[in-house]
Amino acid sequence: MNTLRTETRNGVGIITLTRAAEYNTITPELRDELATAIDRADADHDVHVILLRAEGPAFCAGYALAGSTRAQAGETSRKRVWDSVADYGMISQYVNVYMKLWYAKKPTIAAVHGWCIGGGTDMVLCADLIIAGESASFGYPPSRVWGTPTTAMWVYRMGLERAKRYLLTGDEIPAPEAARIGLILEAVPDSELDARATALAERMAHVPTNQLQMLKLLCNHTAENMVAGDVAAGRFAFRRNREAYAGRPRFRCARASRGISTGRSRARRSIRRLRLGAALEESCGEKDRQKENLI
């Protein structure tokens, strides 16, 4: 393989990106070799856990754009600026590979150092667990001018509000902050990154493979169902509000007036109960005084 290296050690299948001089930017060749490496590790009985890491100054600085710019130049000469279906088909080839980290039967861990931005986050956020060196940085700067994340893992990991905060600005997220807000598992000293990621992978590798597979399946399906449930609930609430309010002012006013009248009725009932209680208390007090006078 030209863009990565693989090895198996102590039950851990290690995949190392080796385009160090190019900051491990993603090319079609890297995409295809990564797909092959993940599939092989997932099928290898000697591998219990898959560990993804990289050589060089950056884990992954996003997509290598030389090929796409050449393709766009060719489209201009053919008098066609952009084909949405062709673009969707092209990017889906990359997404399907990244999602192999999520859907692999075995746990996947990513050890991140340096920059992990743009397409690098599309890839690495699909791993089950991410450990980063303290000097690592995450982010999606292309969101300021061109493109969106392709795997939607930002919302899965950070929640809606924080995902919007960073995607709508393209701001950098230092590794310690990424750990604090839940984007990654933890940030460790740079000098300890490889040792910590390897130790965690080897610790997991002591667990029987069938247990690891079932536990990962349980967690991932739960996460997917939680998001699906939230989306469904949101759609139901939207439809209900739309039916209640869109073009129905009379219904809205009638409903509001019923709510006000209901509230007033409850208040009147409460006041009557208080008056009745006070009257009973006064009556009991008068009877007690009469008994005392008789004695």
Side-chain angles (χ1 to χ4, degrees):
M1 292 186 175
N2 299 319
T3 66
L4 54 83
R5 181 179 67 254
T6 63
E7 58 181 308
T8 301
R9 202 166 56 225
N10 298 327
V12 180
I14 303 172
I15 302 172
T16 306
L17 307 182
T18 57
R19 281 173 45 84
E22 294 81 13
Y23 296 90
N24 294 305
T25 48
I26 303 166
T27 63
E29 185 179 21
L30 186 149
R31 174 200 67 199
D32 295 341
E33 291 185 355
L34 180 60
T36 300
I38 296 171
D39 288 342
R40 286 179 180 175
D42 207 29
D44 189 341
H45 293 294
D46 294 330
V47 172
H48 291 206
V49 181
I50 300 171
L51 174 61
L52 178 64
R53 62 187 188 184
E55 294 179 345
F59 178 86
C60 179
Y63 293 98
L65 300 179
S68 62
T69 52
R70 284 195 298 270
Q72 287 181 338
E75 288 179 354
T76 303
S77 66
R78 294 194 301 271
K79 298 181 179 180
R80 185 181 67 181
V81 178
W82 183 61
D83 184 332
S84 58
V85 175
D87 186 68
Y88 174 76
M90 180 274 295
I91 203 65
S92 292
Q93 296 177 42
Y94 290 86
V95 173
N96 292 339
V97 174
Y98 307 151
M99 293 303 294
K100 285 179 180 289
L101 294 168
W102 177 263
Y103 287 119
K105 295 188 295 292
K106 299 169 183 177
T108 57
I109 301 173
V112 176
H113 69 279
W115 289 101
C116 182
I117 57 175
T121 64
D122 289 343
M123 177 202 305
V124 80
L125 294 182
C126 292
D128 295 316
L129 299 171
I130 303 170
I131 301 175
E134 289 178 337
S135 65
S137 291
F138 300 83
Y140 211 91
S143 66
R144 298 170 183 166
V145 291
W146 184 36
T148 63
T150 59
T151 56
M153 288 296 178
W154 288 79
V155 177
Y156 266 108
R157 288 181 172 273
M158 292 195 297
L160 184 61
E161 293 290 332
R162 285 200 173 103
K164 285 182 177 180
R165 184 261 176 268
Y166 286 104
L167 290 178
L168 295 176
T169 60
D171 285 349
E172 170 192 353
I173 312 175
E177 177 67 5
R180 188 187 72 81
I181 63 179
L183 184 66
I184 65 175
L185 175 64
E186 62 178 338
V188 301
D190 294 340
S191 60
E192 299 177 13
L193 174 61
D194 285 341
R196 291 281 285 272
T198 301
L200 177 60
E202 291 180 351
R203 171 70 185 87
M204 288 184 183
H206 287 296
V207 178
T209 308
N210 59 350
Q211 277 295 104
L212 294 173
Q213 292 177 357
M214 291 306 297
L215 291 167
K216 173 174 176 173
L217 188 66
L218 169 68
C219 292
N220 285 11
H221 279 198
T222 301
E224 291 170 358
N225 289 333
M226 286 170 64
V227 172
D230 290 343
V231 170
R235 287 176 178 168
F236 173 74
F238 173 76
R239 287 197 302 269
R240 182 176 58 186
N241 291 337
R242 183 178 58 187
E243 292 169 358
Y245 297 117
R248 293 190 178 184
R250 293 182 181 177
F251 172 81
R252 186 163 63 245
C253 293
R255 185 174 184 179
S257 65
R258 285 200 300 272
I260 292 171
S261 63
T262 301
R264 288 174 177 169
S265 298
R266 289 174 179 168
R268 284 195 293 268
R269 286 197 296 271
S270 298
I271 291 171
R272 283 199 296 269
R273 290 193 189 101
L274 289 173
R275 289 175 176 171
L276 178 60
L280 289 172
E281 185 178 356
E282 185 178 354
S283 176
C284 292
E286 181 63 26
K287 289 181 179 178
D288 291 338
R289 283 193 296 272
Q290 289 176 358
K291 288 180 181 178
E292 291 175 0
N293 293 332
L294 289 173
I295 295 172

